[in-house]
Amino acid sequence: MHIDGEPDMKAICITGHGGNEVVEVREHQLPERAPGEVRVQVRATTLNQVDLYMRNSGAGITHRLPQIMGLDAAGTVEACDASDPWLTPGQEVIIHPGVACQRCEYCQRGDSALCKRIQFLGEHRDGTFAESIQVPATQVFPKPAHLGWAEAAALGVTHLTAWRMLFSKACLKPWETVLVFGIGGGVSLAALQLAKAIGARTIVTSREDAKLERAQALGADHAINSKTHDVAKEVMACTNGRGVDVVFENVGAAAWSSAMKSLARGGRLVTCGATTGDQPGADLRRIFVRQLQIFGSSLGTAGEFHDLLGFVERTGLRPIIDREYPFDDIHAALDHLESGTQFGKVALRVG
C-alpha cells in the first residue's frame, strides 16, 4: 500500500546483478507506515562489503529486484506511533539493520542474531540508501549526541559486529592481547577502537605501511606488514613467544594459517568473513593440542547494540570515516570501497 499524493523519494536500487551499471538512483514510492513502524528521514548511511556482494550476485540471499541497497543509517524520526514511549518526531536515531522474527527459539532466548528468519536491510528487504526508510520500532535507537551523522550510521554494522565478536564471543579482557587482521577496513578498525577503549593490548596487520602507521597513531601497540613479514613469527617476537589471547579475523583463507599459529594456548579465534576464501586448512591437531576455541559471528542483537551505544556515549568513541560522498555519487563510492584503499568507512550524505 502506498501513500496517496506523497511525492516519491530518491533511492539507490540494484536492478540486476553485475557492476555499477545495475546500480541506479531512481524515484521510489514510499509505502504507508504500518502500526508499530517508524519512518526515519535518513541523513547518512555507510557502505559495507555486502553492498558489493548484492550488486555483484547476491547469491544465496533471498531477495527481489529492484531492491534498495544499504544496511545502516542514521537520521531523524519523521513519524511513529503516538503511543510509542521511547521515540518522538524529530528525534535523532540510528537503525539496527537486522529485523528478527521475535518468535523462533533463538529470539525467544534473547539471541536474535541467530534468528532463523532474520531479514537484513539491503539484503532480504529494502535498505537504507534512500531519503526515508520504515522499520519496526524495535530497530530504532537513540543516536549518541557527540557523533556526526556518518559516524553514527557506522555503528550499526561494523562496530556492532566487532562488539559481538570481541566481547560476547571471544570475551576479550582488558589485560589480554588481541591480533586484528586487515586494519583499514571498517570492522577491523572498529575492533581496534573497542579493544583500546577497554585497555587491551593490540597487534594489527595490513599489507600497506601507510595503514599500519595510521593504526599506530590510533593506539595500536604493534603493527605487522603481512606482505613483507611472517605474521605468526612477528607475533611471537612481540609476545615473548607466548602468542595472543584473541585473534580477530575477517579475511579468510589467506590469513587462517597465520591466525592459528599466532594464538596462545587456550586462545580464541573469532571470525566474521572470508573475503579471500572459505576453505582454509583446519589445522585440527593445533586446535586440540593447544585447546583453541573458534567462534563464528555476524552482526549483533538489539541488546548488544544497546550496550555498544552506552559504551560509545561513556567513552566518547568516534568511528573513523574515510570519505563521504554525495548521494548521487554512489558509483564512485562503490568503486572506492571495492578498491580496498580506504581507511575507515565510506559514507553517503543523504539529507
Side-chain angles (χ1 to χ4, degrees):
M1 186 180 293
H2 300 283
I3 301 173
D4 293 336
E6 280 276 344
D8 290 345
M9 65 176 183
K10 288 172 63 176
I12 296 169
C13 300
I14 49 170
T15 60
H17 298 295
N20 280 344
E21 75 280 356
V22 304
V23 179
E24 297 182 4
V25 180
R26 53 164 58 184
E27 296 297 309
H28 187 89
Q29 196 168 24
L30 186 67
E32 183 177 7
R33 186 184 68 84
E37 287 189 333
V38 177
R39 185 188 308 149
V40 176
Q41 179 187 4
V42 178
R43 300 296 298 274
T45 180
T46 76
L47 277 65
N48 294 280
Q49 288 295 325
V50 74
D51 296 315
L52 294 173
Y53 184 77
M54 292 301 297
R55 180 201 67 179
N56 295 346
S57 73
I61 298 175
T62 302
H63 62 286
R64 56 180 174 76
L65 297 172
Q67 179 166 282
I68 300 174
M69 303 175 72
L71 273 79
D72 57 40
T76 55
V77 174
E78 284 188 305
C80 60
D81 291 351
S83 60
D84 193 307
W86 309 110
L87 300 171
T88 57
Q91 185 176 354
E92 298 183 349
V93 294
I94 308 176
I95 293 175
H96 182 293
V99 182
C101 75
Q102 307 300 331
R103 300 291 298 278
C104 70
E105 61 177 295
Y106 305 104
C107 287
Q108 290 292 307
R109 69 188 190 204
D111 198 352
S112 59
L114 294 176
C115 175
K116 296 171 68 173
R117 298 177 180 85
I118 195 165
Q119 292 186 328
F120 293 111
L121 304 181
E123 296 183 43
H124 308 98
R125 56 192 288 164
D126 281 335
T128 58
F129 290 3
E131 292 178 320
S132 292
I133 184 171
Q134 291 175 174
V135 293
T138 51
Q139 307 303 124
V140 180
F141 292 76
K143 178 180 89 63
H146 69 283
L147 297 181
W149 291 115
E151 292 172 328
L155 294 175
V157 173
T158 53
H159 283 71
L160 177 56
T161 299
W163 179 274
R164 180 176 174 88
M165 290 174 71
L166 287 178
F167 304 132
S168 299
K169 294 290 187 175
C171 298
L172 179 69
K173 304 297 190 298
W175 55 86
E176 292 183 320
T177 301
V178 57
L179 170 64
V180 179
F181 277 88
I183 204 66
V187 72
S188 294
L189 272 174
L192 171 62
Q193 289 185 297
L194 293 170
K196 291 306 300 180
I198 69 163
R201 184 186 184 197
T202 55
I203 304 172
V204 300
T205 79
S206 173
R207 295 171 62 84
E208 302 176 32
D209 286 335
K211 290 185 177 181
L212 295 173
E213 291 171 5
R214 293 187 67 179
Q216 287 182 297
L218 291 172
D221 296 285
H222 300 278
I224 302 169
N225 188 315
S226 57
K227 184 177 181 180
T228 59
H229 292 76
D230 184 305
V231 171
K233 288 183 179 179
E234 293 295 316
V235 166
M236 290 301 165
C238 65
T239 59
N240 295 319
R242 178 182 180 275
V244 299
D245 302 285
V246 172
V247 167
F248 184 99
E249 200 281 311
N250 63 350
V251 176
W256 194 260
S257 177
S258 295
M260 297 295 288
K261 292 175 182 177
S262 296
L263 282 167
R265 290 177 176 269
R268 294 96 71 195
L269 183 152
V270 60
T271 180
C272 70
T275 54
T276 63
D278 61 0
Q279 298 293 322
D283 204 356
L284 290 177
R285 185 177 292 109
R286 182 179 299 272
I287 291 173
F288 65 72
V289 168
R290 292 178 172 263
Q291 300 189 44
L292 306 178
Q293 299 179 71
I294 299 173
F295 299 95
S297 190
S298 62
L299 204 60
T301 66
E304 288 165 330
F305 199 35
H306 176 272
D307 292 344
L308 166 64
L309 294 177
F311 183 85
V312 169
E313 286 272 19
R314 290 191 298 273
T315 61
L317 184 150
R318 306 185 78 106
I320 306 299
I321 304 300
D322 177 80
R323 191 178 302 178
E324 291 189 44
Y325 288 85
F327 191 72
D328 290 344
D329 287 352
I330 180 59
H331 289 179
L334 288 167
D335 287 343
H336 185 47
L337 178 65
E338 194 167 29
S339 74
T341 58
Q342 77 279 4
F343 189 87
K345 295 291 289 181
V346 180
L348 291 177
R349 294 189 300 272
V350 182

